[in-house]
Amino acid sequence: MMDCLQSEPELRPTSAELDTRLKRIDGEKMKLDSSVKRSLMKNPTMSLNDVFPAHIAKALSEGRKPEAEHHDFVTIFFSDIVGFTSIAANLEPRKVANLLDRFYFKLDALSSIHDVFKVETIGDAYMAVTNLVKNQDKDHAKRMAQFAMDAIQAANETLIDVDDESMGYLDIRVGLHTGPGKQPFASNGTVGARQILT
């Protein structure tokens, strides 16, 4: 499957070739690393806990549909990478994946430091929220502003291409939204088995 990451398109497998390869994979015969098996046996809801707040993951793992929650005050963080379309067009796909991995690893670490809940990443966009998963009424906006400033610094310290420093460092656009509304400001719940934030 590493062929899919070739920088020259003609060296990548066709859709038909990929289909053939995928049909040959037999999930029952695939071997999991023993440490992965131990982790899954120890914590079968590991993936739920990685995606949802603990109380929602618990409800889903017990087969219950979590009740929607309403929050009068939250702060939401949005960011995207300036010039990402151009960056992605000029890098090999594996380097784009590496860039996003390196950068989002930093943002995920910052989200832990600032106690910010990561909602989603889609391509080069990152979304997080405070005062949704736990009570942070007194400082949710300040906490998110500090996270945003650190996120900008982290971007400015992230090389676009570790093999070509001349491409420079990332720059991101950041937006914050906070406050009350006439109706509850934010609601969160699940649709199917995925969390939503409205």
Side-chain angles (χ1 to χ4, degrees):
M1 290 305 196
M2 293 301 293
D3 297 349
C4 297
L5 300 176
Q6 291 290 333
S7 59
E8 298 296 324
E10 60 274 359
L11 297 177
R12 297 179 199 149
T14 65
S15 296
E17 290 169 334
L18 283 175
D19 190 47
T20 301
R21 290 179 190 185
L22 290 171
K23 286 178 181 174
R24 289 192 306 234
I25 297 174
D26 183 349
E28 296 296 318
K29 294 180 182 174
M30 291 180 69
K31 303 289 184 219
L32 287 176
D33 179 274
S34 60
S35 64
V36 173
K37 283 182 183 175
R38 280 194 302 276
S39 294
L40 289 172
M41 287 172 42
K42 199 184 303 182
N43 186 3
T45 61
M46 179 174 62
S47 63
L48 288 177
N49 288 322
D50 289 339
V51 176
F52 298 106
H55 68 285
I56 293 175
K58 184 175 189 284
L60 290 172
S61 68
E62 293 171 352
R64 295 183 291 113
K65 181 165 178 62
E67 291 295 319
E69 301 170 356
H70 302 284
H71 305 273
D72 290 328
F73 292 91
V74 299
T75 301
I76 302 172
F77 168 94
F78 305 91
S79 74
D80 72 330
I81 296 172
V82 174
F84 182 73
T85 303
S86 176
I87 291 169
N90 290 302
L91 288 178
E92 298 173 18
R94 67 181 173 81
K95 289 191 173 203
V96 174
N98 176 269
L99 166 63
L100 292 173
D101 183 57
R102 288 182 290 111
F103 180 50
Y104 290 150
F105 184 83
K106 291 178 182 182
L107 292 189
D108 289 348
L110 288 172
S111 73
S112 293
I113 291 167
H114 292 287
D115 206 9
V116 167
F117 183 73
K118 173 183 171 182
V119 176
E120 189 78 62
T121 58
I122 302 173
D124 68 314
Y126 192 98
M127 182 180 177
V129 66
T130 50
N131 206 33
L132 184 72
V133 176
K134 58 176 68 170
N135 185 340
Q136 298 167 320
D137 282 339
K138 296 194 184 312
D139 69 346
H140 62 92
K142 178 182 176 187
R143 178 183 301 274
M144 190 62 84
Q146 290 170 329
F147 171 79
M149 290 185 295
D150 286 350
I152 292 168
Q153 181 178 347
N156 296 157
E157 295 172 354
T158 302
L159 280 168
I160 291 172
D161 183 351
V162 293
D163 298 324
D164 183 2
E165 290 186 23
S166 71
M167 290 192 72
Y169 294 84
L170 286 181
D171 193 14
I172 60 172
R173 282 182 287 261
V174 169
L176 300 179
H177 188 80
T178 190
K182 293 181 181 173
Q183 300 295 321
F185 181 68
S187 297
N188 71 315
T190 58
V191 174
R194 292 288 306 169
Q195 178 171 349
I196 60 166
L197 174 68
T198 60

